[in-house]
Amino acid sequence: MNVVSQKKVILVTGASSGIGLDTAIRLLKKGCVVYGGARRTELLSKLKEFGGHALFLDLNDDASIENCVQSVIKNEGKIDILINNAGYGLGGAIETVSIKDAKEQFQVNVFGLARLCQLVIPYMREQHSGRIINISSIAGLFSSPYLGWYHASKYSVEALSDALRLEVAQFGIKVSIIEPGLTGTNWGVIAAKGIRKNSEKTFYELSGGKVAHFYEHFYENGNNITKASSISKKIEHACFASHPKLRYPVGKFSKMFVLFSRIFNDVTLDFFKRLIFRIR
């Protein structure tokens, strides 16, 4: 093991693009030692250009997760901040999405995240400090049609983070949740493709197509989405604030959606959702 780094050592998952890459570069510019994990390490070239370290990380493979964490510990002697950003949105009706695909959604978005926490916490506990920042979504606060498995995974991230925060506070470890709204990444396009694929030639083809069109329209119209840089600013705050917030809803419409989910009953919310997506 090398001498323990005097700089903040940060591990960012899903660092090959979007929020993860923008966050990693922002933290590198701040003088931190940043390791970025991704399955496609060839996409981490931009991270390396800014002085970051690229690591192979497949959240479907427990050995890969362990190797990723141990690589950072071997090189730096510690991990000060874990940013669980990796994830994706699985589109399709609950009935038509295979359980195999649903399990993979949970493996990446929930179990992979949880396993990283399990592996990093012992080192944070030993130094009696550390921060875990889990990238959830406003999708973890309410549900919409044809993204049910994705919503379920983000609800789980919210619940796990709330429990974890209470458990590890005694060791000087802080846990924050970032809840982005519609963000300027390729998430919406990928989700829409999944909805269309899993709805094609089924009873859900018509309504699923309408929901897919909604996301395509929103993500094609740059005025409707929030830049990844806005999300990474909130992540930076959670990394270094003396008293970080427990939750950071961020992005266009995010606070509005959260407010609506709290003040309206389920029947009213369902009415508005059908109206927005133009489904029966």
Side-chain angles (χ1 to χ4, degrees), residues 84 145 161 172 198-199 203 238 241 246 263:
N84 280 309
S161 299
N198 287 310
S199 302
F203 290 104
L246 306 184
I263 64 176

Side-chain angles (χ1 to χ4, degrees), residues 56-70 107 111-113 115-116 119:
F56 174 73
L57 174 61
D58 182 355
L59 292 177
N60 283 302
D61 182 358
D62 196 62
S64 173
I65 298 172
E66 292 180 5
N67 289 337
C68 180
V69 171
Q70 287 306 312
Q107 177 59 43
F111 297 120
L113 174 151
R115 184 59 181 144
L116 279 162
L119 292 169

